[in-house]
Amino acid sequence: MLENIFQYIDLHQNEFIQLLKEWVAIESDSVQPLPHFRQEIFKMMDIAADKLRHLGASVDLIEMGPQQLPDGQTLPIPPILLAELGNDPKKPTVCFYGHLDVQPAKKEDGWNTDPFTLVEVDGKLYGRGTSDNKGPVLAWINAVVAFKALNQDIPVNIKFIIEGMEEAGSISLDELVRREKDRFFSSVDYIVMSDNLWISKKPALTYGTRGNIYFTVEVKCRDQDFHSGTFGGILNEPMADLVSLLGSLVDSSGHILIPGIYDNVAPLSEEEKKMYETIDLNLEEYQNSSQVEKFLFDTKEEILMHLWRYPSLSIHGIEGAFDEPGAKTVIPAQVTGKFSIRLVPHMNISVVETQVKKHLEDIFSQRNSSNKLKITMILGVHPWIANIHDLQYVAARRAIKTVFGVDPDMIRDGSTIPIAKTFQDIIQKSVMMLPLGAVDDGEHSQNEKINRYNYIEGSKLFAAFFLEIAKMHS
Amino acid sequence: MLENIFQYIDLHQNEFIQLLKEWVAIESDSVQPLPHFRQEIFKMMDIAADKLRHLGASVDLIEMGPQQLPDGQTLPIPPILLAELGNDPKKPTVCFYGHLDVQPAKKEDGWNTDPFTLVEVDGKLYGRGTSDNKGPVLAWINAVVAFKALNQDIPVNIKFIIEGMEEAGSISLDELVRREKDRFFSSVDYIVMSDNLWISKKPALTYGTRGNIYFTVEVKCRDQDFHSGTFGGILNEPMADLVSLLGSLVDSSGHILIPGIYDNVAPLSEEEKKMYETIDLNLEEYQNSSQVEKFLFDTKEEILMHLWRYPSLSIHGIEGAFDEPGAKTVIPAQVTGKFSIRLVPHMNISVVETQVKKHLEDIFSQRNSSNKLKITMILGVHPWIANIHDLQYVAARRAIKTVFGVDPDMIRDGSTIPIAKTFQDIIQKSVMMLPLGAVDDGEHSQNEKINRYNYIEGSKLFAAFFLEIAKMHS
């Protein structure tokens, strides 16, 4: 049965690419808040809805109201698409999350071809959104198409939640998920998304993302800046306080110096350790492509662990100081340092918030400065981690083995992808990230592409996954 | 004789104010590089030249060529006025430096009256340039006018060097002074400028200014910034290196931590110490008007010494990091910290440069970072100090006692005024700053003013100074 499906996909690959070409042609940019682009997203959502209806799905386009822009204007938020194909109580229900909006792109930015005209060169399908995320959304749909075309029973109930505002921060997605928790999502067993990339030449399964906690540290003397000739020498200068505070956060080996911060970091198990060893990462290549002379660690395993399973602290910058070229002899009177910590299991936002504030207050009080200190947590997103023994992870591993002939890299993402954690927390079902894109797809960059191979084999992978997950429930 | 002069000045004070009003009406803004303003400066210089010629001076307006603007355009530099009145070899020759260009001003900036229409309210003469520096230039001229009007012999030879680009950095002044060293300046015995302010209700004599040495510290990993999710945890982050470098410069008591930096600071003599004690500074008032909750020091003497005779280090800011409002999870890949040290006698620029570079290189090498460090001195101006026992200081003290009935505050300026040092170094003659303006004149601010009292008594002061300095040579 799977053989027929695979053959169908192979035979119709050019049709699938033609469809991707049509979707790429729609400039569904959600980042630039302009009516023209917003209309394109609406159009894109309508086309997707038609496509799914055509496959027999029941589709709702849920209106989400207006988006308030900083300048006081409003723009309509594109509808979120909810679709359902099959509701056999004997079958498991898999819900696919994807998005059809894209990052901005212009040929002048350095594209070799028009970003909204899909062009194939050497098996690479160039175009904005090919990899992020129109290609993977269509790969899932292609899998359904194959079953339908061959009149084969789809072994799972399928749901879709597709949005058009992901690149703009998934405005109002949370709200909808919460609202539909006991309706649309009540029958969902598994949530799959495919919005990230492999990290080597092998397929990957992603089971975790780091969280993030972002702080501002304001040190204030007065409102108006000083001239360093007139006041230099008699002030507790806010910049001196601030660099001392920021300098107390992390040492030169990357170790975070905030007392207690590592207390809740999950211990490293033997099983997890082995997963790093089997990942097919060429360290030298990675280093070269990163253009970094030397990393803090020398082995693949240590590097991956410090990107994925240990927290990191980065100082982003300072607001209110002199940041322009040239020489200005100012004593900034009010400065705000910014730093954030990537959180890992099982660190807790409010515990970390307390630790950070206490640490900075201690350092500041040792300075005996007459300035005012104000520490604010302006963002807190928990890390996400899945249980790799969940049935859908096992099913996906088998499907990968079937399609690609190898075991996947079991990976995490050092970045923060709040949607996975949102689904996990609200719907309380297993969430899996099953990427199709290659490591060099260049999401968000110039010359974004998806390989023909990844797009077509990815369509097969989803079909194989349907069968594997169904088997585990039978 | 002096009594007649004073009486003349008192009787003609409204004429002197009328003249100041005419000069204030000329919008001789040198800061905004626009042809219209530049023409106004030319006009201003012509009017001053005519005025001096009318008094019998021989006047040269020296063309200084074009000013190259950053955008590639050029503007003519206003001529520098050199004038000479009397050349009796038996008399000492006093050269007055002043400038007739002004800072920009618009009523909308918060002026109560039109900035280019002199308006008197409660004995205060409001208008741009009244205090900085048209008023003091005219006070010197008024003194000459009084002698001439009374047909009295001026007891000194008088020279003038008056420029029109001071607020724009005195472009080409150095060049002219160097060129005229052995011609115009060869007969000059004393140089007087009056381009600063008193610091209390008492008149002041200024005998020193701090120098300045400005550094940039660049820490670079690569050209392109990183995302903290994708790279946080495995990098020597440039910002961590930089805050550690900047944090090593000065402690929270304002003490500079660079080894050897205090070695060449002049020891405090008993005579100098006494001068701080007699200065009439109300610390509470000063603190309140500064809107600073607490200074690093509690006594007037310590505060003045740390502003004038001890070096100070200020961190100005960081270029290349995230400096805007909001939360951006960037790891800046190349950042440049900026700081400067106000230098005092007898610190030497090249010694300090070596000390700073060695210190930062030591700190950086302890971090064992793989980033590149580059330290650049982008500005170095030596401090200036005069010998307060020079004859012209003694003469000025006596003149102040005669006109105001008090001894002056003997003050320095914590800022860097390169012109005094330029004259001292090139011409190698005694330089004195003899300010006329009150502490609240608001140079460079809205509602700049000079008090009628300061302007008129200042004119008398210059006349008295002519006599006192002549006496010392007779």
Side-chain angles (χ1 to χ4, degrees):
Chain A
M1 168 180 168
L2 198 54
E3 223 160 273
N4 293 344
I5 299 276
F6 284 6
Q7 196 177 35
Y8 180 90
I9 291 172
D10 276 334
L11 284 170
H12 293 79
Q13 54 183 284
N14 287 341
E15 288 162 38
F16 294 144
I17 290 168
Q18 176 59 30
L19 193 61
L20 179 56
K21 184 171 184 158
E22 288 165 21
W23 286 27
V24 165
I26 298 163
E27 196 169 348
S28 51
D29 172 350
S30 63
V31 175
Q32 300 182 72
L34 299 170
H36 162 70
F37 291 125
R38 209 45 69 87
Q39 277 171 24
E40 291 292 288
I41 307 177
F42 274 78
K43 182 174 154 194
M44 185 70 249
M45 301 309 291
D46 280 339
I47 288 174
D50 284 347
K51 175 76 190 169
L52 292 172
R53 284 195 194 101
H54 188 74
L55 289 173
S58 68
V59 182
D60 275 327
L61 286 171
I62 316 284
E63 297 298 333
M64 299 308 299
Q67 176 192 10
Q68 208 72 36
L69 300 179
D71 66 0
Q73 304 278 309
T74 62
L75 277 177
I77 297 175
I80 295 176
L81 182 157
L82 297 180
E84 187 177 346
L85 188 66
N87 57 0
D88 183 339
K90 293 192 297 295
K91 294 178 182 171
T93 300
V94 180
C95 178
F96 182 82
Y97 161 84
H99 68 90
L100 294 176
D101 57 315
V102 297
Q103 284 280 322
K106 286 198 303 260
K107 182 137 196 311
E108 308 90 86
D109 294 342
W111 284 71
N112 296 329
T113 54
D114 172 42
F116 297 99
T117 305
L118 186 146
V119 174
E120 180 168 6
V121 181
D122 294 338
K124 291 172 177 131
L125 309 169
Y126 291 96
R128 176 56 90 219
T130 47
S131 181
D132 179 17
N133 184 226
K134 289 173 176 173
V137 171
L138 276 172
W140 189 274
I141 293 173
N142 296 340
V144 174
V145 165
F147 279 94
K148 288 276 175 189
L150 296 171
N151 265 321
Q152 292 199 9
D153 180 53
I154 303 177
V156 291
N157 301 317
I158 292 179
K159 292 198 166 190
F160 288 89
I161 172 166
I162 297 180
E163 66 162 324
M165 286 296 276
E166 197 270 348
E167 304 293 358
S170 291
I171 297 173
S172 79
L173 182 71
D174 266 44
E175 184 198 327
L176 182 82
V177 174
R178 250 171 253 283
R179 221 160 70 191
E180 294 291 339
K181 174 181 184 324
D182 296 322
R183 290 187 293 192
F184 180 81
F185 291 106
S186 65
S187 60
V188 168
D189 298 301
Y190 304 104
I191 294 154
V192 178
M193 52 184 75
S194 181
D195 195 17
N196 59 327
L197 301 176
W198 303 351
I199 68 159
S200 74
K201 284 176 181 122
K202 287 204 303 191
L205 268 176
T206 305
Y207 65 98
T209 58
R210 288 195 290 190
N212 196 22
I213 182 165
Y214 202 110
F215 290 93
T216 59
V217 193
E218 179 190 286
V219 181
K220 177 171 179 173
C221 178
R222 66 173 191 186
D223 287 324
Q224 213 183 342
D225 285 347
F226 301 90
H227 184 273
S228 72
T230 326
F231 281 95
I234 61 168
L235 295 179
N236 275 124
E237 301 191 7
M239 274 296 278
D241 286 341
L242 184 59
V243 296
S244 143
L245 291 167
L246 296 176
S248 75
L249 294 169
V250 60
D251 71 16
S252 60
S253 71
H255 189 81
I256 304 175
L257 300 171
I258 297 158
I261 194 101
Y262 289 98
D263 288 355
N264 293 322
V265 174
L268 180 67
S269 71
E270 274 305 310
E271 183 192 21
E272 188 192 331
K273 208 172 152 197
K274 283 216 181 74
M275 288 199 294
Y276 298 111
E277 289 163 11
T278 60
I279 289 173
D280 195 15
L281 180 81
N282 183 325
L283 192 56
E284 206 181 308
E285 240 173 52
Y286 176 59
Q287 190 147 337
N288 287 343
S289 74
S290 305
Q291 298 175 282
V292 173
E293 179 148 324
K294 201 177 171 323
F295 290 125
L296 287 173
F297 307 98
D298 296 325
T299 68
K300 171 184 78 180
E301 290 80 3
E302 275 183 305
I303 290 207
L304 294 175
M305 286 193 277
H306 282 89
L307 285 175
W308 295 347
R309 62 115 47 237
Y310 290 119
S312 66
L313 188 149
S314 297
I315 302 166
H316 308 298
I318 295 172
E319 189 183 337
F322 175 55
D323 50 47
E324 285 164 52
K328 187 176 175 186
T329 52
V330 65
I331 299 174
Q334 180 177 3
V335 288
T336 303
K338 301 186 180 183
F339 68 93
S340 67
I341 302 170
R342 294 284 165 179
L343 302 176
V344 296
H346 307 289
M347 294 169 87
N348 175 286
I349 288 173
S350 68
V351 171
V352 173
E353 182 184 6
T354 306
Q355 289 167 337
V356 167
K357 286 185 173 172
K358 174 157 188 343
H359 170 71
L360 289 175
E361 279 156 7
D362 286 351
I363 298 282
F364 189 71
S365 96
Q366 284 161 28
R367 290 184 64 80
N368 205 20
S369 166
S370 56
N371 295 321
K372 299 263 176 300
L373 174 70
K374 190 174 156 199
I375 308 157
T376 312
M377 183 192 91
I378 59 171
L379 189 98
V381 180
H382 272 113
W384 164 72
I385 188 138
N387 182 346
I388 59 164
H389 301 295
D390 276 354
L391 290 187
Q392 72 166 341
Y393 276 88
V394 179
R397 291 181 79 122
R398 289 184 185 162
I400 287 169
K401 185 86 179 185
T402 303
V403 175
F404 295 96
V406 294
D407 285 318
D409 289 333
M410 296 301 292
I411 67 173
R412 303 196 199 180
D413 197 315
S415 310
T416 304
I417 306 175
I419 299 170
K421 181 73 180 165
T422 300
F423 283 127
Q424 190 185 52
D425 284 356
I426 302 176
I427 308 176
Q428 309 228 334
K429 290 289 159 61
S430 169
V431 178
M432 179 173 71
M433 293 190 188
L434 177 48
L436 301 189
V439 64
D440 63 348
D441 274 3
E443 290 178 312
H444 293 212
S445 299
Q446 298 89 333
N447 300 318
E448 179 183 346
K449 58 92 180 164
I450 193 166
N451 299 329
R452 173 185 279 257
Y453 174 80
N454 289 59
Y455 179 53
I456 299 303
E457 300 306 302
S459 303
K460 293 179 191 170
L461 174 58
F462 287 145
F465 172 69
F466 297 163
L467 286 165
E468 292 293 348
I469 192 79
K471 260 193 241 167
M472 309 196 79
H473 279 259
S474 62
Chain B
M1 169 179 167
L2 197 53
E3 223 160 272
N4 293 343
I5 299 277
F6 286 6
Q7 196 177 35
Y8 180 90
I9 292 173
D10 277 332
L11 284 171
H12 294 80
Q13 55 183 282
N14 287 341
E15 288 162 38
F16 295 143
I17 290 170
Q18 176 57 31
L19 192 60
L20 179 56
K21 184 172 184 160
E22 287 164 21
W23 285 27
V24 165
I26 298 164
E27 195 168 349
S28 51
D29 172 351
S30 64
V31 175
Q32 300 182 71
L34 298 171
H36 162 70
F37 291 126
R38 207 46 69 87
Q39 278 171 22
E40 291 293 288
I41 307 178
F42 274 79
K43 182 173 152 194
M44 185 70 249
M45 300 309 291
D46 281 338
I47 288 174
D50 284 347
K51 175 75 190 170
L52 292 173
R53 283 194 195 103
H54 188 74
L55 288 172
S58 66
V59 181
D60 275 327
L61 286 171
I62 317 283
E63 296 301 332
M64 299 307 300
Q67 177 190 11
Q68 209 70 38
L69 301 180
D71 66 0
Q73 305 278 308
T74 61
L75 276 179
I77 299 175
I80 296 176
L81 183 157
L82 296 181
E84 185 177 348
L85 188 68
N87 57 0
D88 183 340
K90 293 191 297 294
K91 294 177 183 173
T93 301
V94 180
C95 177
F96 183 81
Y97 162 85
H99 67 90
L100 293 176
D101 57 313
V102 297
Q103 285 278 323
K106 286 197 303 260
K107 182 136 197 312
E108 309 89 86
D109 294 341
W111 285 71
N112 296 329
T113 54
D114 171 42
F116 297 97
T117 305
L118 186 147
V119 174
E120 180 168 7
V121 181
D122 293 338
K124 290 172 177 132
L125 308 169
Y126 292 96
R128 175 56 89 220
T130 46
S131 180
D132 180 16
N133 185 223
K134 290 174 177 174
V137 170
L138 276 172
W140 188 276
I141 293 173
N142 296 340
V144 174
V145 165
F147 279 93
K148 289 275 176 188
L150 296 171
N151 265 319
Q152 290 198 9
D153 178 55
I154 303 178
V156 291
N157 301 316
I158 293 180
K159 291 197 168 191
F160 288 89
I161 173 166
I162 298 180
E163 65 162 325
M165 286 297 277
E166 197 270 348
E167 304 294 359
S170 293
I171 298 175
S172 78
L173 182 70
D174 265 45
E175 184 197 326
L176 182 81
V177 174
R178 249 172 254 282
R179 221 160 69 193
E180 294 290 338
K181 174 182 185 319
D182 296 320
R183 289 187 293 193
F184 181 80
F185 290 107
S186 65
S187 59
V188 167
D189 298 301
Y190 304 104
I191 295 154
V192 177
M193 52 184 73
S194 180
D195 195 18
N196 62 325
L197 301 175
W198 302 352
I199 67 159
S200 73
K201 284 173 182 126
K202 285 203 304 192
L205 266 177
T206 304
Y207 64 97
T209 59
R210 288 196 290 189
N212 197 21
I213 183 164
Y214 202 110
F215 290 93
T216 59
V217 193
E218 179 190 287
V219 182
K220 177 170 180 174
C221 179
R222 65 172 191 185
D223 287 325
Q224 213 182 343
D225 286 346
F226 300 90
H227 184 273
S228 72
T230 325
F231 281 94
I234 61 169
L235 296 179
N236 276 123
E237 302 191 6
M239 273 296 277
D241 285 340
L242 184 59
V243 296
S244 141
L245 291 168
L246 296 177
S248 76
L249 295 170
V250 60
D251 73 14
S252 60
S253 70
H255 189 80
I256 303 174
L257 300 171
I258 297 159
I261 194 103
Y262 289 99
D263 288 355
N264 292 323
V265 174
L268 179 68
S269 69
E270 274 306 310
E271 182 192 21
E272 188 193 330
K273 207 172 153 198
K274 283 215 181 74
M275 288 199 293
Y276 298 111
E277 289 163 11
T278 59
I279 289 172
D280 194 15
L281 180 82
N282 183 325
L283 191 57
E284 207 181 307
E285 239 174 51
Y286 177 59
Q287 190 148 337
N288 288 342
S289 74
S290 305
Q291 297 175 283
V292 173
E293 180 147 324
K294 201 176 170 324
F295 291 124
L296 287 174
F297 306 98
D298 296 324
T299 66
K300 171 184 79 181
E301 289 80 3
E302 275 183 304
I303 290 206
L304 292 177
M305 285 192 279
H306 283 89
L307 285 175
W308 295 346
R309 63 115 47 239
Y310 290 120
S312 66
L313 189 149
S314 296
I315 302 165
H316 308 298
I318 294 172
E319 189 182 338
F322 175 55
D323 51 46
E324 285 164 52
K328 187 176 177 185
T329 53
V330 66
I331 299 176
Q334 180 178 1
V335 288
T336 303
K338 301 185 181 184
F339 68 93
S340 67
I341 302 170
R342 294 284 165 178
L343 302 176
V344 296
H346 305 288
M347 294 169 87
N348 175 284
I349 288 174
S350 70
V351 172
V352 172
E353 182 183 7
T354 305
Q355 289 168 338
V356 166
K357 286 184 173 173
K358 174 159 189 341
H359 170 70
L360 289 175
E361 279 157 7
D362 286 351
I363 298 282
F364 189 70
S365 96
Q366 284 161 28
R367 290 182 65 79
N368 206 19
S369 166
S370 56
N371 295 321
K372 298 262 176 304
L373 175 68
K374 190 174 155 199
I375 308 157
T376 312
M377 183 192 92
I378 58 172
L379 188 98
V381 180
H382 272 112
W384 165 71
I385 189 139
N387 181 346
I388 59 164
H389 301 297
D390 277 351
L391 291 187
Q392 70 167 342
Y393 276 89
V394 179
R397 291 182 80 123
R398 289 184 186 163
I400 288 170
K401 186 86 179 185
T402 303
V403 175
F404 295 95
V406 293
D407 286 318
D409 288 334
M410 293 303 291
I411 68 173
R412 302 197 201 180
D413 197 314
S415 310
T416 304
I417 305 176
I419 300 171
K421 181 71 180 165
T422 299
F423 283 128
Q424 191 184 50
D425 284 356
I426 302 177
I427 308 179
Q428 309 229 334
K429 290 289 158 62
S430 169
V431 178
M432 178 174 71
M433 294 192 188
L434 176 49
L436 301 189
V439 64
D440 62 349
D441 273 3
E443 292 177 312
H444 294 211
S445 299
Q446 299 89 334
N447 299 319
E448 179 184 344
K449 57 93 181 162
I450 194 167
N451 298 329
R452 173 187 278 257
Y453 174 78
N454 289 58
Y455 179 54
I456 298 304
E457 300 307 302
S459 303
K460 292 179 191 170
L461 174 58
F462 287 146
F465 172 70
F466 298 162
L467 285 165
E468 292 292 349
I469 191 77
K471 258 194 243 167
M472 308 194 82
H473 279 259
S474 62

